[in-house]
Amino acid sequence: MQPKRQTVAAEPAPVDKTLDLDLLAITDESRKLAASIKPSSGPWDVIVVGSGASGGMAAFQLATAGIKVLMLEAGRMLDHKAEYRTMEWPYASPRRGRLPGDHRALQAAEYNFYDRPYGDNPAFAKYKKLASYTSNTFTRNWVVNEKEHPTTGTPYSWVRARVLGGKTNYWGRVAIRYGPLQFKAASRDGFDVDWPIGYEDVSPYYDKVDLLLGCSGTKEGLIQVPDGIYQRPMKMNCVETHFKRSIAKMGRSYIPGRCGVSTEGQLNNKYRSRCLGRGRCSRGCDVNANFHSPAALVYPARDTGNLTIRPYSVVSEVFLDEATGKAAGVRVIDANTKEVMDFKARVVVLGAGTLDSTRILLNSKSPQHPNGLGNSSGLMGCYLSEHHMAASSRCGWGPSPRWTTDGRPRPTSRASATSPTSTPTSSAGITSRVAAAPTSTRGWPTTCPASARPSSRTYGSTTLRFSPSAASAKCFPARRTASPSTRRSRTPGASPSSASTSGSATTRSGWRRTWPTPQRRCSAPRARRTSRSIRPCCRRVGPSTRSAPRAWARTRRRR
């Protein structure tokens, strides 16, 4: 007789306490606050759209000066004590900090190969919420759902935070000044135009922001990163200190990061505290040591009695006064009731972010502005840059990027860009053609098409030379050595069908690629198979051959 099998009940899934964040109280408060503020609740002198870095600063400066301000926020209010989970340990969640199964965050590469709108894409149909790349278990309640707020058009990683303070609740805290090298960059590299203002014009305002918000760092006297008024910097560890001393011998500087974190506290703000160095800043600082617009700007401005905050207020457009042609107010759509209201004021300040402020201006059409407010040139909404996702550099013999550094499309052929009167020249084994035509002040040939590029351009100690190949547009950096085995040259009179030679190959466009000699390998003897250590000339990661037990060696050999 076979014994009966005992049935063991499966254990219930562990409860994730990090998902039990009760936002009902703060959302109810936001709804009641929005319902209590109507257009007749005024009057207001200024309307500020947005509560982030720009909107919060504008409201703070105006309210503390005694001006009645109405702040319109598209999202809800914020309970920073409950939502800033700075000290949460990874093991507090069974998911170890990952998003819930029905939530999904777009990856950086997915913005390019998935069709817009992303929320309607079949690849994300099984997810309840689809958010931007900044969404994680700590910010998922702040960023918008792409399924409810779809966007079309150009692939763009639009980050929208519908909450009081916007993206300042989880920004990177990098506080580097825009210096003279950036304001006058065109005078140095020849691209674009210089700013109409200089660093000396904005430096006094930088000092005011440093004192108001609190920034940590050190004064180094570097022109590329101008100094400010800093509080105590973050202390370097022993490795960083040793690295700093090592590269100082080469004339290099290694400095502490300059960040918007108050390390000594703010005497003029009761909502902020000094940094205690015991949490993750990107989750939101629960002691408000780093800069958040609500604690640093909005709450102090509200305490003056001159600031009124209305949440759940989505601004659609700015309407004008027909008599004067100036802005008279904004049209607001309540996010909950979908009620349309017109709030009026003498001045309107748009601080809703790069894209939302542009959207409002484009929607603000009138007989005086048929293409949108401030869009007489037709360039409103073009050439925008909200945030850099990543930066990369190119080197070697790879193909050139699709766009030039000044934003124009790079042509696929150089034949049309070559002047009939050009003469061939050769430098470092690279044959090129330099147009014998007068050049402009920016270094471009005045008689060549707009897509023409000079044969070479120098950036500091780096020289770039451009190939005149008609088959492809490739950019080759100049080599320091002139050895034939380490450069690419074109053989005079070589035909595209030339046969390959030993150690080289001839491409269809006539370029002959010669390979350099292989790099010299490590001459140290290899370690035995029974040892976990690598070559003697490198760092050991395990026991040596002499100290390895035989039993372990047999096990290792059996695997």
Side-chain angles (χ1 to χ4, degrees):
M1 178 180 294
Q2 296 182 355
K4 295 182 179 180
R5 297 182 179 179
Q6 296 181 356
T7 304
V8 180
E11 296 182 0
V15 179
D16 192 350
K17 297 181 180 180
T18 61
L19 298 180
D20 297 337
L21 185 62
D22 187 10
L23 299 177
L24 184 60
I26 192 65
T27 54
D28 288 344
E29 179 186 351
S30 302
R31 291 190 181 95
K32 293 178 181 179
L33 184 60
S36 63
I37 301 175
K38 299 293 183 180
S40 58
S41 303
W44 297 282
D45 299 321
V46 179
I47 293 177
V48 176
V49 182
S51 61
S54 58
M57 180 61 75
F60 175 83
Q61 295 293 337
L62 294 171
T64 53
I67 300 175
K68 296 295 182 179
V69 180
L70 172 64
M71 174 179 286
L72 300 175
E73 167 58 42
R76 57 176 176 84
M77 300 296 286
L78 177 73
D79 185 4
H80 70 276
K81 294 182 179 180
E83 298 186 59
Y84 287 167
R85 295 146 56 190
T86 313
M87 291 296 295
E88 182 177 299
W89 293 99
Y91 52 76
S93 169
R95 297 172 288 106
R96 294 298 186 269
R98 293 186 293 268
L99 284 169
D102 57 347
H103 287 204
R104 176 70 150 77
L106 283 165
Q107 303 299 320
E110 293 176 343
Y111 286 97
N112 293 323
F113 59 78
Y114 277 127
D115 294 332
R116 281 75 58 201
Y118 302 108
D120 298 340
N121 197 292
F124 309 114
K126 62 179 180 180
Y127 299 104
K128 181 180 179 180
K129 181 176 181 178
L130 180 68
S132 64
Y133 70 97
T134 61
S135 177
N136 51 51
T137 185
F138 305 100
T139 64
R140 60 186 179 86
N141 295 316
W142 300 336
V143 295
V144 302
N145 188 355
E146 295 289 341
K147 293 179 178 292
E148 300 175 356
H149 303 81
T151 58
T152 59
T154 306
Y156 197 90
S157 56
W158 190 4
V159 179
R160 290 169 288 177
R162 295 294 173 89
V163 69
L164 184 70
K167 294 186 286 292
T168 64
N169 291 299
Y170 57 98
W171 68 302
R173 308 166 310 283
V174 178
I176 301 178
R177 295 192 176 194
Y178 214 67
L181 297 182
Q182 288 76 34
F183 280 104
K184 304 300 180 182
S187 300
R188 299 177 57 85
D189 56 24
F191 292 99
D192 211 344
V193 295
D194 289 333
W195 281 70
I197 59 177
Y199 173 72
E200 60 278 358
D201 299 324
V202 299
S203 179
Y205 299 96
Y206 273 128
D207 295 341
K208 293 182 179 180
V209 173
D210 289 344
L211 293 174
L212 175 64
L213 304 181
C215 295
S216 64
T218 56
K219 294 187 177 182
E220 304 289 342
L222 302 174
I223 188 175
Q224 59 268 34
V225 280
D227 296 329
I229 303 176
Y230 299 122
Q231 297 184 5
R232 175 184 57 83
M234 302 295 176
K235 187 178 180 180
M236 291 186 178
N237 56 34
C238 58
V239 177
E240 293 172 337
T241 303
H242 178 72
F243 179 73
K244 177 182 179 179
R245 295 173 180 173
S246 300
I247 66 174
K249 303 175 183 178
M250 301 180 291
R252 302 291 182 177
S253 299
Y254 183 73
I255 64 176
R258 296 172 175 177
C259 52
V261 178
S262 177
T263 56
E264 299 174 355
Q266 295 294 111
L267 298 178
N268 57 351
N269 193 326
K270 65 180 181 180
Y271 298 98
R272 300 189 65 188
S273 175
R274 66 179 181 87
C275 179
L276 303 177
R278 85 286 180 273
R280 297 292 298 274
C281 303
S282 58
R283 303 174 183 176
C285 183
D286 54 359
V287 298
N288 293 323
N290 59 347
F291 165 72
H292 301 311
S293 179
L297 301 172
V298 178
Y299 296 158
R302 186 179 58 179
D303 292 344
T304 63
N306 297 323
L307 176 63
T308 303
I309 306 173
R310 191 186 193 279
Y312 291 131
S313 303
V314 181
V315 177
S316 62
E317 60 178 305
V318 178
F319 59 86
L320 307 179
D321 188 352
E322 296 181 359
T324 61
K326 297 181 179 180
V330 294
R331 186 158 289 121
V332 175
I333 302 175
D334 191 280
N336 294 317
T337 63
K338 304 301 185 291
E339 180 183 359
V340 180
M341 296 167 285
D342 290 346
F343 289 87
K344 297 182 179 181
R346 298 169 54 189
V347 179
V348 176
V349 178
L350 294 182
T354 303
L355 298 185
D356 265 326
S357 296
T358 305
R359 171 188 61 82
I360 295 172
L361 291 174
L362 290 175
N363 289 338
S364 305
K365 297 181 180 180
S366 62
Q368 298 91 340
H369 307 277
N371 297 326
L373 188 61
N375 192 26
S376 59
S377 63
L379 297 178
M380 178 71 67
C382 302
Y383 313 112
L384 298 177
S385 177
E386 184 186 38
H387 196 280
H388 291 289
M389 287 187 62
S392 61
S393 59
R394 302 181 59 89
C395 60
W397 300 110
S400 63
R402 182 180 178 184
W403 306 96
T404 61
T405 54
D406 57 349
R408 293 179 293 181
R410 189 181 297 278
T412 57
S413 176
R414 299 288 180 183
S416 60
T418 306
S419 173
T421 59
S422 59
T423 57
T425 60
S426 178
S427 175
I430 301 177
T431 303
S432 60
R433 291 181 178 270
V434 180
T439 58
S440 62
T441 56
R442 295 181 57 185
W444 302 101
T446 56
T447 58
C448 293
S451 60
R453 299 294 300 270
S455 61
S456 64
R457 185 177 284 272
T458 302
Y459 303 91
S461 60
T462 305
T463 302
L464 298 181
R465 291 185 173 86
F466 300 94
S467 163
S469 172
S472 61
K474 296 185 177 181
C475 173
F476 304 102
R479 297 293 185 106
R480 292 184 178 181
T481 60
S483 175
S485 62
T486 60
R487 71 186 182 201
R488 198 176 188 179
S489 60
R490 180 165 181 165
T491 306
S495 61
S497 60
S498 300
S500 301
T501 59
S502 176
S504 64
T506 304
T507 61
R508 295 183 179 180
S509 59
W511 290 101
R512 186 182 66 195
R513 176 68 182 274
T514 57
W515 293 276
T517 57
Q519 296 182 358
R520 184 179 180 183
R521 295 185 176 181
C522 181
S523 59
R526 292 181 177 271
R528 295 177 58 184
R529 293 180 179 272
T530 57
S531 174
R532 294 180 60 187
S533 62
I534 56 178
R535 299 177 183 176
C537 62
C538 305
R539 180 185 177 187
R540 289 186 174 182
V541 295
S544 62
T545 306
R546 297 179 181 179
S547 61
R550 292 188 178 183
W552 179 86
R554 287 195 297 269
T555 305
R556 183 71 174 177
R557 192 179 299 109
R558 191 178 299 112
R559 291 179 182 176

